[in-house]
Amino acid sequence: MTPLLKRKRLLLEEMQMPVNQQIRQVPGLYRKRVGDIVITAVNDGIVPLPPEVMVGMAPDGVRKTLTGRFRPAEPHVTVGAYLVEHGERRILIDTGSGSLMGPTLGKVMQNLAALGVSPDQIDSVALTHMHADHAGGMLDGSGAAIFPKADVFLAVEEDRHWYGGEPPTDAVGVSEQVNSYSGKLRAAYAGRWHLIAEEEILPGLRRMALPGHTPGHSGYMVSSGDDQLLIWGDITHVPVVQIAHPEVGMVFDVDVEQARATRKRILDMAATDGLAIGGMHLEFPGFGHVIRNGANYEYVPDLWLPEM
C-alpha cells in the first residue's frame, strides 16, 4: 500500500462516527431542467484525501485555501453521477464507485432507488472514463452487469488505453484497481459496448473529448432547444482549489500537463459562454456556472429551487 493510500485509509477511519452520533442527510438527489431534458445529480458520497494528492500546490497551501473557504483542511472529494431523462429514455452518465472505494461512497444505487428508478430502467450508460469512482458501480459482487439492458458508451481513446496492450500502471495504484475489473466489465456488457468519438451518441447528448486526466476522458454536452449544459467529468476534483487555481492537478492525472491545459480551456469556455455545468466532483448538488473574478475563475453554484 502506497503512503497516500495509507493516509486515505486513516482519514476514512476518522470519518466513521459512532452510529448514535451520526446525522444522516436525505437522499442525495437534485434535478435540473435543460429544455425538454431532465437531469438529476445523483450523489455517490464523499471521500477524504490527503492534500498531497494535489500537484502544483504545496500541502500547506491546499490546507490554507480550503480552510479559507470554510472547508476541512483535508480535501473532501464529492463523487456523483447524472441521470439524463429524455422522453422515455434514461441515460446514466457514470455509475459511482459501487463497493470499490470504501464505506463513505457507493450511494448511487440507493439514491436512484429513492428516485424510483431501478437498474433495469437504465437504457444507456455513458462513461466519462474508467476510474473506479465512475465505472465501479457497473458490476455486482459476482461480476454480473448491474444494468441488464443498458448499452455502454466509452471513448475510443479510453478503451485503447485500458485494453489496447499492456495494462497501464501508476505510482498510486489507480491503474491497478481499474485493471482488476476492466476485463470483467467488458465481458459483462459484451454486445452492448460501444466505442465513440466526438459525436452525438443519443439525441441531445454529445461526447466532448477532454483528455489529460485519462487519454479518453470525456465530457457530455446536453442540449435541448436553446438550452445546454456541459457535464465535464473530472475537470476538477477539488473545485474550491482548482477553479481558482486551474494550474493545480492531481496525482491521478495520467498526463498532468494535458489535464491542466484542458482544465484552463474548459474554464475559459464556460466563463465566456455562460455555460451551465455539472461535474462528478462538484460539491453537491453539482450544478452551477463559472465566472471570471479578475484574472481568476470562481464557481457559482445553482440556487436550490423546490420546483424546476
Side-chain angles (χ1 to χ4, degrees):
M1 183 180 292
T2 68
L4 280 176
L5 290 178
K6 289 179 180 178
R7 178 67 178 136
K8 176 189 171 184
R9 186 180 67 181
L10 291 173
L11 287 169
L12 283 169
E13 291 173 354
E14 290 173 5
M15 281 186 70
Q16 302 309 300
M17 295 181 113
V19 173
N20 63 356
Q21 294 182 28
Q22 292 175 355
I23 301 174
R24 295 195 177 277
Q25 301 289 359
V26 299
L29 299 162
Y30 186 73
R31 313 186 85 181
K32 182 179 179 69
R33 187 176 292 281
V34 178
D36 293 330
I37 298 174
V38 176
I39 305 176
T40 304
V42 185
N43 185 250
D44 193 53
I46 193 164
V47 61
L49 295 173
E52 288 81 4
V53 299
M54 308 203 79
V55 178
M57 180 179 285
D60 284 348
V62 173
R63 294 186 184 98
K64 182 178 180 180
T65 302
L66 288 169
T67 56
R69 299 297 295 270
F70 304 99
R71 298 292 182 269
E74 307 279 359
H76 281 58
V77 178
T78 298
V79 178
Y82 290 85
L83 178 68
V84 179
E85 296 176 278
H86 194 182
E88 297 300 313
R89 180 176 289 277
R90 290 186 174 97
I91 306 113
L92 192 60
I93 302 181
D94 286 349
T95 64
S97 58
S99 61
L100 296 180
M101 293 186 64
T104 63
L105 297 177
K107 310 297 192 298
V108 161
M109 296 310 301
Q110 70 183 54
N111 282 322
L112 283 175
L115 192 65
V117 176
S118 60
D120 62 352
Q121 292 176 307
I122 301 298
D123 301 294
S124 305
V125 172
L127 291 174
T128 61
H129 59 299
M130 285 281 288
H131 284 167
D133 51 332
H134 301 264
M138 296 181 69
L139 300 176
D140 65 18
S142 66
I146 283 180
F147 306 102
K149 300 177 182 177
D151 289 296
V152 178
F153 296 92
L154 183 73
V156 172
E157 300 89 345
E158 190 72 1
D159 186 89
R160 186 182 302 127
H161 179 66
W162 298 106
Y163 299 104
E166 286 294 318
T169 60
D170 61 61
V172 293
V174 172
S175 296
E176 181 181 359
Q177 185 177 46
V178 176
N179 295 334
S180 72
Y181 63 76
S182 58
K184 299 174 187 177
L185 188 60
R186 200 166 181 179
Y189 290 88
R192 296 182 280 138
W193 191 268
H194 306 284
L195 303 185
I196 55 174
E198 282 199 304
E199 59 186 285
E200 187 174 61
I201 59 173
L202 295 164
L205 187 67
R206 181 179 182 82
R207 185 242 167 181
M208 179 183 293
L210 304 175
H213 179 56
T214 63
H217 178 241
S218 300
Y220 291 94
M221 186 72 78
V222 182
S223 303
S224 177
D226 294 331
D227 294 342
Q228 287 188 315
L229 180 141
L230 173 62
I231 297 174
W232 71 14
D234 283 12
I235 287 294
T236 63
H237 288 77
V238 187
V240 165
V241 176
Q242 291 178 287
I243 290 179
H245 303 276
E247 72 279 4
V248 178
M250 305 294 290
V251 296
F252 315 124
D253 295 334
V254 173
D255 187 328
V256 173
E257 290 298 329
Q258 187 178 43
R260 181 178 290 129
T262 297
R263 183 164 43 256
K264 291 179 177 180
R265 173 171 63 86
I266 296 304
L267 288 172
D268 178 73
M269 181 186 79
T272 299
D273 298 345
L275 182 64
I277 58 167
M280 282 61 191
H281 303 301
L282 290 179
E283 294 175 344
F284 192 77
F287 294 112
H289 290 79
V290 174
I291 62 171
R292 287 189 175 84
N293 184 355
N296 300 316
Y297 297 102
E298 181 180 339
Y299 177 59
V300 181
D302 275 7
L303 173 67
W304 189 95
L305 296 171
E307 296 179 2
M308 297 294 291

